[in-house]
Amino acid sequence: MNIKFGTSLLSWITPVWNPEAGKYAIEKTAKAGFDLIEILLPSSMEFNAKEVKTQLKNNNLEAVCSLNLPKEAHIAFHPKVAENLMKQAVDTTSALETNFLGGVLHGGIGVFSGNPLTENEAEIIVEVWSNVSDYAKEKGVNIGIEPINRYETYVCNTAENVLDLISKTGKNNLFLHLDTFHMNIEENNFYDPVILAGNRLKHIHMTESHRGMLGEGNVNWEDLFKALKEINFEGNLVLENFSSSVPGMQQMVSLWQKSPYDAEELALGSLEFMRKYI
């Protein structure tokens, strides 16, 4: 297996990007001993890639990017808006000289039609993904699409949902981005989705069932790591656990209980947990 360990921007700061907070997260990630940081891009796309690239270089840290489509860029309802935003995210990813853009790229988080995904909506998503995929390929960027739970979207809840739509595009730079928090809600287990994806799986958010310390919740890590070994996983394992010690985090991610660990303890303990398995 060829694995890089990372942590999300959200492990250190709230999802609202600003340059000062971003610099802090980069420095904390590097100091904790991770290989890379996942930078959640702001939907405003107000982001100084040149400045961030310098910060990464100064801290000897790699980066990948992610984007969560906002409500106003729900692909099925606003395909052109979504396509333009995703292309801007590809541009930023390329400007950072990294080759991976992940995230919730099938629909706006929190948008619902009141019904399951229709055939027509699926066709719209496939067309937008195909256009963005072609654009990204020219810039050497791979795209990972993250299924999330039923309380946040009706579009893609499972690995199979994403893989089915990817197969309809026929594109080879679209991949699956899993998240163990959402898998714990929507999948039958932690083994089968990984095996189903095979080399289409490039990125995983490593997070416990309660978003806390890895190994202290309900996620079946034995099954997950067994499957990763079987597919000879090559990609990123990125922490996305949250601590109430980060100002504003409780309100941003509905973390109403006080965390037993501060952000640094959570990051260091979870990194040690992952390394033990590998």
Side-chain angles (χ1 to χ4, degrees):
M1 295 193 290
N2 183 13
I3 289 173
K4 288 183 177 172
F5 296 110
T7 185
S8 166
L9 204 65
L10 305 185
S11 296
W12 309 105
I13 64 171
T14 58
V16 183
W17 169 267
N18 72 67
E20 191 180 315
K23 181 174 182 285
Y24 170 80
I26 287 168
E27 288 170 353
K28 294 295 281 186
T29 300
K31 193 178 175 188
F34 290 91
D35 303 312
L36 60 84
I37 185 169
E38 180 189 315
I39 298 174
L40 178 62
L41 299 173
S43 54
S44 66
M45 284 301 151
E46 289 176 14
F47 185 87
N48 187 334
K50 188 178 177 184
E51 182 181 50
V52 174
K53 192 167 73 172
T54 301
Q55 291 168 0
L56 291 166
K57 191 174 277 187
N58 290 344
N59 286 278
N60 196 27
L61 193 67
E62 294 179 42
V64 294
C65 293
S66 60
L67 172 72
N68 294 334
L69 291 176
K71 292 181 179 181
E72 60 272 18
H74 185 65
I75 299 180
F77 300 166
H78 312 289
K80 282 294 168 204
V81 175
E83 185 175 321
N84 289 337
L85 184 58
M86 289 167 75
K87 284 178 177 176
Q88 285 179 334
V90 167
D91 288 340
T92 303
T93 304
S94 176
L96 275 179
E97 294 181 11
T98 184
N99 66 357
F100 185 83
L101 172 69
V104 183
L105 299 172
H106 45 79
I109 297 179
V111 179
F112 295 91
S113 67
N115 291 298
L117 188 71
T118 66
E119 220 170 282
N120 182 52
E121 286 177 321
E123 285 170 8
I124 293 168
I125 292 165
V126 166
E127 185 180 351
V128 168
W129 283 5
S130 296
N131 295 342
V132 174
S133 167
D134 289 343
Y135 185 81
K137 192 159 194 177
E138 288 176 18
K139 294 179 177 285
V141 173
N142 293 320
I143 294 173
I145 297 141
E146 178 187 5
I148 58 174
N149 72 76
R150 69 190 69 187
Y151 306 109
E152 297 183 60
T153 188
Y154 68 101
V155 182
C156 289
N157 303 132
T158 65
E160 189 173 14
N161 292 158
V162 171
L163 293 167
D164 282 350
L165 289 175
I166 287 176
S167 70
K168 287 174 180 170
T169 68
K171 305 296 179 182
N172 62 6
N173 62 332
L174 297 180
F175 295 92
L176 176 65
H177 165 180
L178 284 175
D179 183 310
T180 53
F181 174 82
H182 299 290
M183 290 175 76
N184 186 57
I185 298 171
E186 297 295 348
E187 304 286 0
N188 291 339
N189 55 59
F190 291 87
Y191 178 84
D192 293 333
V194 173
I195 299 299
L196 179 68
N199 62 10
R200 280 284 177 187
L201 178 60
K202 288 289 180 200
H203 197 80
I204 307 179
H205 279 164
M206 306 291 278
T207 177
E208 204 32 282
S209 55
H210 48 37
R211 294 286 196 186
M213 185 70 78
L214 300 194
E216 294 185 358
N218 296 325
V219 171
N220 189 329
W221 298 106
E222 291 281 347
D223 273 7
L224 180 76
F225 280 100
K226 182 184 174 191
L228 291 177
K229 191 175 179 184
E230 286 188 25
I231 67 166
N232 193 25
F233 177 69
E234 295 194 356
N236 312 312
L237 301 182
V238 174
L239 290 181
E240 196 187 50
N241 37 17
F242 309 136
S243 173
S244 61
S245 70
V246 177
M249 187 60 78
Q250 288 183 285
Q251 294 80 359
M252 293 295 287
V253 299
S254 303
L255 183 65
W256 308 125
Q257 311 306 313
K258 187 177 186 297
S259 305
Y261 304 100
D262 68 24
E264 193 157 349
E265 290 170 331
L266 205 51
L268 290 171
S270 295
L271 176 58
E272 186 183 355
F273 178 88
M274 291 194 294
R275 282 192 170 141
K276 273 183 185 173
Y277 266 99
I278 299 300

